[in-house]
Amino acid sequence: MSKKSRIKIRTLLQKAPVGEQVIVKGWVRTFRNNQFVALNDGSTINNLQVVVDYENTDEKILRKITTGACISAEGTVVESPGRGQSVEIKASTVEILGEADPEKYPLQPKRHSLEFLREIAHLRVRTNTFSAVYRIRHAMIFAVHKFFQEKGFLNIHTPIITGSDAEGAGEMFRVTTLDPVNPPLTESGEVDYKEDFFEKETNLTVSGQLEVETACLALSDVYTFGPTFRAENSNTSRHLAEFWMIEPEVAFCDLDELMGLAEEFVKYLVAYALENCADDLAFLEKRLAEEEKHKPQQERSPMGLVERLNFVRENEFVRLTYTEAIEILRRSKPNQKKKFQYLIEGWGADLQSEHERFLVEKHFKKPVILFNYPKDIKAFYMRQNEDGKTVAAMDVLFPGIGEIIGGSQREERFDNLQARVKELEIPEKDLWWYLELRKFGTAPPSGFGLGFERMIQFICGMGNIRDVIPFPRTPGNAEF
RNA sequence: UCCCCCUUAGCUCAGUUGGUUAGAGCGGCUGACUGUUAAUCAGUAGGUCCUUGGUUCGAGCCCAAGAGGGGGAGCCA
């Protein structure tokens, strides 16, 4: 007879093969009454109840079935006489695979603060909240690729180490193999990067956009989905120094079509989560409701998590030009009554997050896409509009998160692009290849960047971005 | 980087006007119970009150500096 393999708890609970002999393995969540093990193996948020025959099991083994311990159990699947579950395992043998000293194991069968769990990131995945978040995160990675696959986009791996510092998306992390104490110097006393590994200055990427555009102007519809690094000293619940970004780039596409793609994409992800992660979402909804109980009425969200996701899926996003937004904000109550910290006086100012929140959360009460921003507050590669004042840029704003997507139609006219590069004093030597794209067979492409963790935050209802990535990297924190 | 708040048992937190020996719930341990659902019941151990300096007869509590954490702002995704 061949060796019997284990069955995953998710499969077991789905099939409920009553009468069958099975092996299950996982980690003990609780051990009640000297016989009821709540076992979890991460395949689902639901625990399996393993009933130990305490009268015929070695006392030494019983004592080692503690919260956090890893066990293997063999037994028969039976209908449960108890109320909390439909089936359970009547175990004939229990083997301890890994003990967890109860005096030292930090996770208890009770609610812990997210701040405490952040300090034990290597163990927090063993909690319901984090296992749910990571399962949903996985499902969203899959859904991203599925969406683009169905639309005929090609996935392009853009470089992590980059020699161009031109995108201007933020401060960069330097990549070097030079001795930090005694670096080789040039005759004029500066660090001689000719001696460095790449024989030039290199950094971790802040965006794959410029590189993915090269593929776009040959393969038409492409996207990159990879890690992104920003050395900004940002200390907020919405920023990471290392995060994952999805950047589609579409040839022969204008801003209007791009906004359509962004909305369709975000709704697809939300729908995928609703249809495939129901158990985990139900748990996270309960968690969020519990958390909000401790908040004042005013700060509580009017909808539950699932209701909110359905709302986003079913309602059209508002599309609003920057100019229209300024008008609405200028005439708004908080502006008239001088409640805004930054008052809207006229056209041209960048919108602060209080303004974005007002539009999304108070005025329209749904996701908003703002477009046609003043060119002076946007990047060099964005396409200039006919008015001479604005560029074809757009941001998708979400409740509670703020900017979740930023994108634009790209400037495909060589002269315009070069003029803009000169105007902003961007070193042309770093951008020669990007400029050449506009010399040889240029085409109007459009693209955007979606912050993956911000999307996960929204779908999971998590308030802090550090709780939707396994090992968050933030200023002063690179533990694990 | 700026503003505000927090730091007391393993965890979550209370601690009065500055006053003798610093508390609770959960968790741990010991035992009871044995179809429980974050089991229950009884008992019990567990403290650098973040650190340093100061004020005071006396500091968990007041003052200063520092460290760590959180919320908000800016930067952005």
Side-chain angles (χ1 to χ4, degrees):
Chain A
M1 212 178 104
S2 67
K3 197 178 154 214
K4 203 185 302 162
S5 61
R6 77 163 173 130
I7 183 168
K8 285 195 182 178
I9 289 172
R10 178 188 167 86
T11 315
L12 193 153
L13 293 176
Q14 266 171 1
K15 290 189 182 160
V18 171
E20 269 184 39
Q21 186 82 1
V22 297
I23 295 176
V24 291
K25 297 181 189 202
W27 293 267
V28 175
R29 287 296 174 79
T30 62
F31 184 39
R32 286 184 295 269
N33 225 344
N34 218 19
Q35 54 178 329
F36 302 106
V37 180
L39 195 69
N40 190 284
D41 68 1
S43 59
T44 162
I45 188 126
N46 298 306
N47 297 331
L48 173 71
Q49 175 151 291
V50 176
V51 185
V52 180
D53 181 3
Y54 67 94
E55 281 169 325
N56 295 305
T57 301
D58 190 344
E59 175 76 17
K60 275 186 209 148
I61 288 183
L62 285 176
R63 295 184 73 87
K64 287 178 182 171
I65 304 176
T66 59
T67 299
C70 183
I71 68 165
S72 170
E74 181 161 8
T76 317
V77 181
V78 296
E79 283 181 31
S80 176
R83 228 175 295 170
Q85 56 284 317
S86 56
V87 293
E88 64 189 26
I89 302 262
K90 214 169 177 53
S92 50
T93 59
V94 173
E95 190 188 340
I96 308 293
L97 301 179
E99 298 175 33
D101 183 345
E103 286 197 60
K104 292 181 183 146
Y105 187 63
L107 295 174
Q108 306 160 11
K110 69 168 242 181
R111 177 170 286 272
H112 291 93
S113 69
L114 296 171
E115 292 82 5
F116 169 66
L117 293 170
R118 248 168 248 156
E119 293 169 10
I120 47 168
H122 58 308
L123 296 174
R124 67 176 181 171
V125 61
R126 300 188 189 193
T127 64
N128 285 331
T129 299
F130 284 93
S131 64
V133 168
Y134 297 162
R135 273 189 298 272
I136 290 173
R137 189 181 163 105
H138 161 79
M140 290 301 97
I141 293 167
F142 185 76
V144 165
H145 289 298
K146 191 160 181 277
F147 175 82
F148 287 118
Q149 170 67 21
E150 285 167 8
K151 286 199 159 304
F153 281 56
L154 301 187
N155 181 219
I156 303 297
H157 285 158
T158 48
I160 310 295
I161 298 171
T162 169
S164 86
D165 180 16
E167 217 263 348
E171 288 296 308
M172 304 181 98
F173 288 102
R174 179 152 295 165
V175 174
T176 179
T177 55
L178 294 180
D179 183 347
V181 183
N182 290 308
L185 300 177
T186 59
E187 282 175 15
S188 54
E190 283 157 5
V191 175
D192 186 6
Y193 288 102
K194 283 266 184 294
E195 298 287 316
D196 206 346
F197 187 90
F198 295 107
E199 300 179 11
K200 65 181 289 194
E201 283 189 70
T202 52
N203 300 287
L204 293 178
T205 182
V206 291
S207 164
Q209 182 203 315
L210 300 186
E211 287 91 348
V212 88
E213 274 191 50
T214 66
C216 176
L217 294 187
L219 306 169
S220 303
D221 297 346
V222 297
Y223 69 106
T224 175
F225 181 1
T228 309
F229 307 88
R230 307 255 168 108
E232 299 288 340
N233 191 6
S234 299
N235 290 287
T236 81
S237 54
R238 304 179 306 281
H239 289 86
L240 290 166
E242 177 182 304
F243 65 101
W244 291 69
M245 191 154 64
I246 297 133
E247 296 172 284
E249 198 69 33
V250 193
F252 322 112
C253 173
D254 65 19
L255 187 70
D256 195 56
E257 293 166 300
L258 184 74
M259 289 191 281
L261 180 72
E263 180 167 348
E264 188 186 347
F265 179 45
V266 167
K267 284 179 169 173
Y268 184 93
L269 295 181
V270 168
Y272 190 89
L274 284 165
E275 283 157 22
N276 294 278
C277 309
D279 284 355
D280 288 322
L281 286 175
F283 176 83
L284 291 171
E285 171 161 282
K286 245 179 22 195
R287 189 207 71 84
L288 185 63
E290 197 66 34
E291 185 183 87
E292 291 201 339
K293 270 188 198 166
H294 303 289
K295 286 186 181 170
Q297 194 78 36
Q298 235 186 342
E299 290 171 32
R300 293 183 204 172
S301 73
M303 290 184 236
L305 180 60
V306 171
E307 192 185 355
R308 207 188 306 168
L309 296 180
N310 273 311
F311 181 85
V312 164
R313 168 154 74 156
E314 286 156 12
N315 284 279
E316 248 186 66
F317 295 2
V318 174
R319 294 193 193 182
L320 197 68
T321 64
Y322 167 88
T323 306
E324 289 166 331
I326 286 288
E327 260 319 286
I328 290 171
L329 288 165
R330 209 172 52 76
R331 284 195 238 128
S332 71
K333 258 193 199 165
N335 201 57
Q336 302 275 332
K337 294 191 172 173
K338 303 195 189 299
K339 288 277 166 61
F340 281 143
Q341 199 185 333
Y342 298 89
L343 293 175
I344 299 288
E345 316 237 318
W347 197 91
D350 207 350
L351 298 182
Q352 307 294 318
S353 53
E354 60 178 341
H355 306 131
E356 295 178 351
R357 290 183 73 119
F358 174 82
L359 290 170
V360 172
E361 290 163 25
K362 294 268 158 41
H363 190 81
F364 291 109
K365 294 192 169 73
K366 54 166 90 170
V368 173
I369 309 182
L370 281 180
F371 64 100
N372 287 350
Y373 281 85
K375 68 172 186 190
D376 293 335
I377 58 174
K378 288 292 179 184
F380 76 94
Y381 51 73
M382 297 183 175
R383 191 179 201 276
Q384 292 167 51
N385 289 324
E386 302 306 313
D387 61 15
K389 301 192 301 183
T390 62
V391 288
M394 64 97 176
D395 285 351
V396 180
L397 308 177
F398 258 45
I401 311 282
E403 187 180 340
I404 199 164
I405 283 178
S408 70
Q409 186 172 340
R410 317 306 188 192
E411 182 55 80
E412 86 283 9
R413 297 162 294 191
F414 179 82
D415 293 345
N416 287 27
L417 187 63
Q418 196 181 37
R420 202 73 184 117
V421 166
K422 284 209 167 88
E423 215 176 322
L424 295 171
E425 294 172 1
I426 299 166
E428 259 182 79
K429 67 171 173 54
D430 288 343
L431 273 180
W432 65 272
W433 53 275
Y434 186 74
L435 289 164
E436 270 199 3
L437 297 176
R438 272 63 180 163
K439 272 189 197 161
F440 306 132
T442 188
S446 294
F448 62 77
L450 171 97
F452 186 59
E453 282 76 16
R454 289 190 182 171
M455 190 70 207
I456 304 299
Q457 261 190 291
F458 179 76
I459 287 174
C460 294
M462 299 297 286
N464 195 313
I465 200 164
R466 294 161 200 205
D467 298 326
V468 299
I469 186 167
F471 299 102
R473 297 287 176 254
T474 53
N477 190 352
E479 189 69 45
F480 304 103

